[in-house]
Amino acid sequence: MQLPGRPGAARERFAALFNPQSIAVAGASASQVNAGNRFIRLLHQWNYSGDIYAIHPKAETIEGVPAFRSLGETPHPVDYAYVTIPAAHVTELIAAARGRVAFAQVMASSTPSDLFAWERDLRVAAKSAGVRLIGPNCMGTHSPRGGYTFMEGALLEPGDIGVAAQSGGLGMDILRRGQSTGLRFSGLVTLGNSIDVTPVDMLDYYLDDPETRAIGLYIEDVKDGGGFRALLDANAGAKPVVLLVGGLTKLGGAAAASHTGAMTGGSRAWEALARQTGAILTFTLDDFLETLQACAWLTPKPTTPESGIVLFGNGGGTSVLASDAVARAGFNLASMPPAALAEIAELRLPPGASVANPIDLPASVLRENQGRIAGDILEIVRQHTKPHAIIAHLNLPVIMGYRHIENFMPNLIEALLKSASGSGTTPHLVLALRSDGSEEVDAWRRTFRSAATARGVPCYDELPQAVSALSRFQGYESFIAGRLATSYSDARSRHDA
């Protein structure tokens, strides 16, 4: 995507960051282990295929890679420099690049009293040296396609979620917690104070990147509000953009100013932006990650979303509370037509089953036909009610009381996943898998979650999370449907004229 004053396709401008052919590390020690050393070790661990250079005033090698005194002395130009030296030496290091470094990410920050002058001098040095600067005050970049990450324990499996965060710690939380839910990333960049490369740049890149399906941004400060709005307008909902904005309250704004020097807009301005552009605004990290799951795996419906929901699972009280959550989110429970009830009656379910919506089936019923009965019921429901979504919930500790039945547990999850949406015309399917925290139950939940995400089904720990994520995704669907309806109306008007 290209805007005035932003020459060239964004994917080309940031290719050296996300797929670097050479990486330099400034700050690794020849005598101890620090952040720079750990980063080089991660490059080795993931078999990074490009050139690696250490920048050190005296050492000849560090962690098995050749060392050079400055960024201007490496044998070949550097695509990405990971800079962990103290703030007092960063400007001199960057100035020495002299057009030979494409991107440098600076982890350090200066003291509050010197921050303005230090960032000004650093920005001038980077511009003079032809370096695009990421940070300062950040943690690193995660790029599966480039074969590198800054975080120990991160997975480099390629994914389609692009993230930028103006917080290094929060970026690590997004990586760690996101991958535990099945999310995989096309890239994640921690931006810190964003004195050069900004959230607008990252939004531009991810919108232009064919490997990114959905975008998540943690923002404390958008200096180019006009550019940000123009990109969201140009996107027109083609890719879901999930926003987590810090500093919307008076206390949060003060914390953001202390953290990154940010000046944020108020919540009303962000709510209006989301409403007018189709971006999805969230207020907590949990909401942010849960919404990204929905955006990663659900296919938006091309028409105005219906509000009918089917609740399916075990646990009467849970179904009651889930019905309340559905109503609070603005949904309705889909009506069960007589024909559907008649077909379900022919299955001759054991006593205890309630097949009006919500469909409440004790574990003693779900065990029928070694767990396959769930698929039979959901197929009838899907054909007759045509709901907007099916939310299936399992109280796993109770379900596991029947795990002695051969293949019951695998058959049950497979029966549920048969209802997964494969297009914009079939119902969405989301799962809520409840656990008691015991290792055995959590292990089954991880197994079920892995099977679900492999089939494109979002999986949550509790029903309210599933309902909230689905509600936020429906807001995005409504925006798309409205844009399509407007385009159709405009086309008809031109035709009739």
Side-chain angles (χ1 to χ4, degrees):
M1 193 167 293
Q2 186 172 337
L3 296 175
R6 305 174 77 85
R11 77 182 83 165
E12 296 173 0
R13 288 187 277 115
F14 286 91
L17 173 63
F18 287 96
N19 193 17
Q21 303 305 300
S22 55
I23 292 178
V25 181
S29 172
S31 59
Q32 58 186 342
V33 176
N34 61 22
N37 297 75
R38 287 191 291 271
F39 183 72
I40 294 175
R41 292 180 183 185
L42 284 171
L43 293 176
H44 290 321
Q45 174 185 325
W46 290 106
N47 297 314
Y48 171 71
S49 60
D51 296 327
I52 307 173
Y53 309 123
I55 307 301
H56 194 278
K58 297 178 181 178
E60 294 185 2
T61 63
I62 295 177
E63 299 289 347
V65 303
F68 302 89
R69 288 180 297 175
S70 76
L71 289 171
E73 297 182 29
T74 57
H76 302 288
V78 171
D79 283 341
Y80 172 72
Y82 180 88
V83 180
T84 65
I85 63 175
H89 305 294
V90 171
T91 300
E92 179 183 1
L93 177 92
I94 296 299
R98 300 194 302 272
R100 303 183 76 256
V101 175
F103 290 90
Q105 190 157 18
V106 177
M107 314 308 151
S109 183
S110 186
T111 60
S113 60
D114 297 330
L115 183 62
F116 178 81
W118 180 75
E119 287 188 344
R120 178 198 61 209
D121 294 344
L122 180 57
R123 186 165 46 242
V124 169
K127 184 175 182 179
S128 177
V131 178
R132 292 304 310 271
L133 193 79
I134 305 168
N137 189 25
C138 57
M139 297 293 286
T141 292
H142 172 85
S143 179
R145 80 191 77 182
Y148 78 101
T149 183
F150 69 98
M151 193 181 86
E152 294 172 307
L155 301 175
L156 280 182
E157 296 174 22
D160 54 11
I161 305 296
V163 172
Q166 284 188 294
S167 167
L170 205 63
M172 295 177 73
D173 286 341
I174 292 167
L175 265 181
R176 185 177 292 111
R177 292 179 54 185
Q179 70 185 24
S180 73
T181 67
L183 291 177
R184 298 295 182 264
F185 300 90
S186 58
L188 184 148
V189 183
T190 63
L191 296 172
N193 296 6
S194 305
I195 67 172
D196 180 18
V197 175
T198 69
V200 178
D201 290 307
M202 290 295 93
L203 175 61
D204 195 6
Y205 172 79
Y206 288 130
L207 289 174
D208 195 39
D209 175 34
E211 296 184 30
T212 297
R213 170 176 173 162
I215 301 165
L217 303 175
Y218 170 68
I219 295 170
E220 293 182 5
D221 177 27
V222 176
K223 298 178 177 67
D224 181 9
F228 192 73
R229 171 63 187 259
L231 286 170
L232 290 175
D233 283 338
N235 178 49
K239 290 184 181 183
V241 179
V242 183
L243 305 176
L244 177 58
V245 183
L248 294 183
T249 66
K250 183 177 181 180
L251 290 177
S258 175
H259 180 209
T260 61
M263 295 296 290
T264 60
S267 59
R268 289 185 180 179
W270 283 101
E271 289 165 0
L273 177 72
R275 185 172 57 252
Q276 294 163 10
T277 64
I280 306 172
L281 185 62
T282 63
F283 298 99
T284 70
L285 181 58
D286 287 340
D287 289 347
F288 178 77
L289 291 171
E290 290 157 11
T291 305
L292 282 177
Q293 289 182 67
C295 294
W297 294 307
L298 298 182
T299 301
K301 295 180 181 295
T303 57
T304 302
E306 305 165 9
S307 59
I309 300 293
V310 169
L311 289 172
F312 178 97
N314 69 308
T318 301
S319 295
V320 172
L321 293 175
S323 299
D324 288 338
V326 164
R328 283 193 292 268
F331 292 118
N332 295 314
L333 290 177
S335 299
M336 195 73 72
L341 296 174
E343 282 196 41
I344 293 174
E346 293 177 4
L347 297 176
R348 299 185 180 280
L349 299 177
S354 174
V355 295
N357 193 14
I359 301 171
D360 180 18
L361 305 178
S364 58
V365 175
L366 288 173
R367 71 174 180 171
E368 290 293 299
N369 196 14
Q370 295 180 307
R372 298 184 183 91
I373 191 67
D376 299 335
I377 297 171
L378 285 175
E379 181 58 25
I380 293 171
V381 170
R382 193 162 66 94
Q383 292 296 329
H384 287 279
T385 67
K386 294 180 169 45
H388 179 65
I390 298 170
I391 303 177
H393 60 97
L394 297 178
N395 187 336
L396 291 179
V398 177
I399 293 291
M400 287 176 60
Y402 294 94
R403 63 189 179 281
H404 61 279
I405 298 175
E406 186 177 5
N407 294 322
F408 166 58
M409 301 286 281
N411 287 345
L412 177 58
I413 192 66
E414 177 60 27
L416 294 176
L417 295 179
K418 283 172 61 177
S419 302
S421 172
S423 70
T425 58
T426 54
H428 298 314
L429 174 67
V430 299
L431 298 184
L433 302 177
R434 301 173 63 216
S435 171
D436 60 5
S438 66
E439 179 52 39
E440 185 183 11
V441 176
D442 279 352
W444 273 109
R445 178 160 65 179
R446 288 191 294 269
T447 298
F448 280 11
R449 187 191 299 274
S450 179
T453 56
R455 299 276 281 274
V457 176
C459 190
Y460 302 98
D461 292 343
E462 296 288 346
L463 267 164
Q465 297 172 333
V467 173
S468 295
L470 192 61
S471 175
R472 287 187 289 271
F473 188 74
Q474 193 199 38
Y476 167 67
E477 290 180 301
S478 296
F479 175 83
I480 294 174
R483 293 297 293 261
L484 290 174
T486 300
S487 298
Y488 176 76
S489 177
D490 290 346
R492 284 298 303 266
S493 297
R494 288 193 297 270
H495 178 269
D496 293 343

